[in-house]
Amino acid sequence: MSIKKAEFITSSSVYTQCPPPERPEIAFIGRSNVGKSSLINMLTGRKKLAKVSGKPGKTQLINHFLIDENWFLVDLPGYGWAKVSKTDRSKWGEMIHDYLTERKNLINVFVLIDTRLDPQPVDTEFIQWLGEKGIPFALIFTKADKQSKNKNQSSMAKYRRVLKSQWETLPPMVLTSSETGEGKDDLTDYINYCLQV
Ligand code: GDP
């Protein structure tokens, strides 16, 4: 079932400020510019939803949206900025670490990957960390429309190879394009599955 209602609830700088953990929660994270805002907007059918929280000064916060009055979609600040100071990076690390390890109602993390790039250490190290912590996650490959189907398949295969060398089981992977809507149904189905188990 696709998303019918999406409303911005709040932005928090630490996980203890987040809304009471009374509903299941699914978080989205990835490198800055990976296409996270576009994907959230595509998924919720709202052109500017993710931008609500994207105002200057709010980008480094944990943003909660209530979906269909049933679950929280969480937009986490992106990683991998070239120009971010060490202090800001460690603040980001602490905030994300605490949120991901402490948030009781977190049922899945979507890690967004730009399909055009070869596996990047910043992403594979983060994935490795999620695995070690036992935090459930799936990979979303973004911007599928930007290259050929063959290239998309070989990019995903590269990821599978890297992850297979570290883990016995591979995480679920969904190929998406916010431009064409590709992968929206798969993503919605996977979210519904997460909400049911
Ligand atoms: P964020 O920083 O991760 O939230 O990324 P944005 O959603 O703001 O997207 C970054 C840039 O990539 C913008 O210029 C988007 O228009 C573009 N973009 C995002 N998703 C797609 C996509 O699926 N296809 C194409 N062609 N461009 C995209």
Side-chain angles (χ1 to χ4, degrees):
M1 214 171 41
S2 64
I3 290 172
K4 295 201 172 55
K5 194 173 170 193
E7 43 187 323
F8 174 68
I9 301 295
T10 189
S11 296
S12 322
S13 59
V14 285
Y15 87 93
T16 48
Q17 279 174 1
C18 292
E22 289 159 355
R23 300 164 192 277
E25 184 155 311
I26 296 178
F28 290 71
I29 194 167
R31 287 224 261 173
S32 157
N33 223 35
V34 70
K36 184 161 52 72
S37 310
S38 307
L39 186 97
I40 290 172
N41 293 339
M42 185 263 279
L43 190 64
T44 55
R46 292 269 304 273
K47 278 196 182 121
K48 290 182 180 162
L49 186 73
K51 295 293 172 203
V52 171
S53 54
K55 288 176 197 152
K58 285 204 167 183
T59 49
Q60 283 295 77
L61 298 171
I62 300 166
N63 298 303
H64 275 76
F65 300 91
L66 180 60
I67 307 297
D68 293 334
E69 291 172 12
N70 181 30
W71 60 278
F72 288 125
L73 183 159
V74 177
D75 183 4
L76 293 172
Y79 52 83
W81 278 289
K83 287 186 185 143
V84 165
S85 70
K86 261 198 178 153
T87 324
D88 281 349
R89 226 175 290 162
S90 70
K91 260 195 230 156
W92 178 90
E94 200 178 320
M95 172 169 80
I96 296 302
H97 174 278
D98 289 353
Y99 167 81
L100 291 173
T101 54
E102 301 296 334
R103 188 75 173 153
K104 299 278 180 274
N105 56 333
L106 182 66
I107 58 167
N108 185 63
V109 178
F110 282 120
V111 181
L112 276 66
I113 308 281
D114 188 326
T115 315
R116 296 167 302 171
L117 303 179
D118 280 342
Q120 305 285 306
V122 70
D123 293 318
T124 54
E125 283 163 14
F126 181 64
I127 291 167
Q128 174 84 13
W129 180 83
L130 286 173
E132 283 166 3
K133 293 282 176 198
I135 297 165
F137 68 95
L139 304 184
I140 298 181
F141 289 85
T142 63
K143 308 189 187 183
D145 61 289
K146 288 219 176 198
Q147 62 178 16
S148 71
K149 283 192 172 143
N150 279 346
K151 281 201 170 152
N152 285 336
Q153 290 312 317
S154 80
S155 300
M156 291 169 77
K158 280 182 194 166
Y159 256 92
R160 279 192 204 97
R161 273 199 295 279
V162 171
L163 296 178
K164 258 190 188 159
S165 67
Q166 296 161 337
W167 302 96
E168 265 173 38
T169 46
L170 289 174
M173 296 183 177
V174 187
L175 182 64
T176 65
S177 162
S178 303
E179 199 69 23
T180 66
E182 180 175 354
K184 182 178 175 180
D185 291 347
D186 291 342
L187 205 51
T188 309
D189 286 351
Y190 188 70
I191 288 172
N192 288 329
Y193 163 78
C194 291
L195 291 169
Q196 276 158 22
V197 288

